[in-house]
Amino acid sequence: GVSFRIAPGEALGLVGESGSGKSTIARAAVGLVTPISGSISVFGQNPAEPAGRKEMARAVQMVFQDAAGSLNPRLTIAQILAEPLAVHALAPSAQRRARAQRLLEEVGLQAAHLDRYPHQLSGGQRQRVAIARALAVDPRLLVCDEPVSALDMTVQAQILDLLNRI
């Protein structure tokens, strides 16, 4: 029995014990799982419906708890950030690297990180890349599933400040 509304520019935090359904609610909001009962509506539509899935994927992005597991280890950071730009036709091929660099700068990383692979980054840097990838499509809703739980206290504060700023 969960019901909430989020206004533009607003942040909502779900708090509860382990196993209480926080991650399931987050995954349902982005269409990764379908509720067993009840319904979910994001911007007036069911995010798990196949019709309009690409539009929903652009409007709603997720930052996962495990950034390392959510980044393709075979791709460079530049390729990871360019992928959503290509999928959603948001930038011509020649402009994707420059856009990827701007995204990195927005999350506090340098252009030198573009040619690295996820395993060459720290946990905090990987989480920043995951946030940059989510922001690449300029989503209307950003869903974060415990984005700082695997990070040390100093990096947690930096990531939370970053999320607050964006």
Side-chain angles (χ1 to χ4, degrees), residues 80-153:
I80 288 169
L81 296 178
E83 189 173 41
L85 299 173
V87 167
H88 294 281
L90 297 175
S93 181
Q95 295 176 6
R96 291 182 195 142
R97 186 173 176 89
R99 175 74 174 124
Q101 181 176 337
R102 286 193 303 276
L103 285 163
L104 280 185
E105 290 168 356
E106 186 176 349
V107 298
L109 294 176
Q110 299 171 353
H113 292 94
L114 287 171
D115 295 316
R116 295 184 187 169
Y117 289 88
H119 73 273
Q120 295 174 308
L121 304 178
S122 71
Q125 290 170 328
R126 283 192 296 263
Q127 195 62 290
R128 290 173 187 272
V129 170
I131 293 168
R133 180 186 56 194
L135 295 176
V137 297
D138 196 24
R140 293 173 58 195
L141 176 63
L142 183 63
V143 177
C144 299
D145 183 12
E146 298 189 47
V148 298
S149 65
L151 305 173
D152 67 50
M153 295 298 277

Side-chain angles (χ1 to χ4, degrees), residues 48-84:
E49 281 292 319
R53 183 71 195 119
K54 188 172 181 179
E55 293 80 16
M56 182 61 66
R58 181 165 179 209
V60 181
Q61 284 287 303
M62 185 160 179
V63 176
F64 294 92
Q65 179 177 355
D66 177 19
S70 72
L71 302 174
N72 187 333
R74 294 184 175 156
L75 299 180
T76 65
I77 303 308
Q79 292 168 319
I80 288 169
L81 296 178
E83 189 173 41

